Amino acid sequence: LAHRVAAGQAQIKRFRGIESILQRLEARVSNPAETPPADEMLSIFRELKSEEFKQEFVMFGLAALALPMVTPALQEQMSDWNPLAQPERAVNMLLQWKPLLLDEDESTANPVLEAQNTALFDALAEQLVVRKIQTSLTNEWDVHDARPCVTLIEGLKGMV
């Protein structure tokens, strides 16, 4: 019985820790006049998925919070991105968020959550990267000069 009580108290302590982080997150995103920096949002979600809270992160599906909360910050961060000039910038940004949205730990893999999180990651990539690439190729790329497009495709290899 003492073991169960101690385990319950430890879980309550973790829940309170998560609640505190979520309150901080809510405070940062609740002001529509100010978009929190993407790096700050990344730090908060890394804290939520740390070893201390990893089980609860998966249990409560906290990855689903990321997309609506971080998209404005990431859109702002990527607003001046030129895919033809800086293809690696998108890959670097997506690689930062990939471990937070995808559960790469096989021991906790849940097929349903894995599918949902893959969809979240794909939606993030679609909203922030694919549309910008399409626009850039349509409006800026000179088809007579293939080099920028080849460089773009090569730069995106890490995400394809």
Side-chain angles (χ1 to χ4, degrees):
L1 182 61
H3 175 70
R4 290 174 67 182
V5 169
Q9 288 173 336
Q11 189 171 37
I12 289 171
K13 181 180 177 186
R14 286 193 313 273
F15 285 172
R16 287 188 177 134
I18 289 172
E19 180 183 32
S20 172
I21 297 168
L22 291 175
Q23 286 173 343
R24 201 170 74 236
L25 180 63
E26 181 184 24
R28 290 301 292 139
V29 299
S30 63
N31 182 358
E34 179 186 346
T35 302
D39 291 343
E40 181 181 345
M41 300 296 286
L42 181 64
S43 174
I44 291 172
F45 274 94
R46 280 183 175 155
E47 190 177 350
L48 278 171
K49 195 168 180 182
S50 68
E51 271 311 306
E52 182 180 1
F53 305 121
K54 187 170 186 143
Q55 182 181 359
E56 288 80 13
F57 188 89
V58 173
M59 181 190 326
F60 296 127
L62 296 178
L65 287 176
L67 190 63
M69 291 189 155
V70 304
T71 298
L74 291 173
Q75 284 174 329
E76 190 172 297
Q77 178 185 11
M78 299 297 287
S79 65
D80 63 343
W81 175 51
N82 181 343
L84 295 172
Q86 307 166 300
E88 69 286 343
R89 186 170 167 194
V91 172
N92 293 337
M93 182 272 300
L94 288 173
L95 285 175
Q96 290 179 325
W97 284 94
K98 186 177 181 178
L100 298 173
L101 297 175
L102 300 177
D103 189 7
E104 296 168 344
D105 182 2
E106 296 299 321
S107 66
T108 60
N110 175 325
V112 174
L113 284 176
E114 188 175 327
Q116 289 172 348
N117 292 349
T118 300
L120 288 171
F121 183 75
D122 291 347
L124 182 69
E126 172 73 26
Q127 288 180 17
L128 299 172
V129 178
V130 175
R131 291 180 189 168
K132 191 99 171 186
I133 289 172
Q134 289 172 332
T135 301
S136 183
L137 289 175
T138 303
N139 298 332
E140 300 168 18
W141 177 47
D142 177 7
V143 296
H144 301 291
D145 181 11
R147 191 84 210 114
C149 187
V150 170
T151 302
L152 172 64
I153 299 303
E154 288 174 350
L156 295 174
K157 279 184 185 175
M159 294 312 304
V160 179

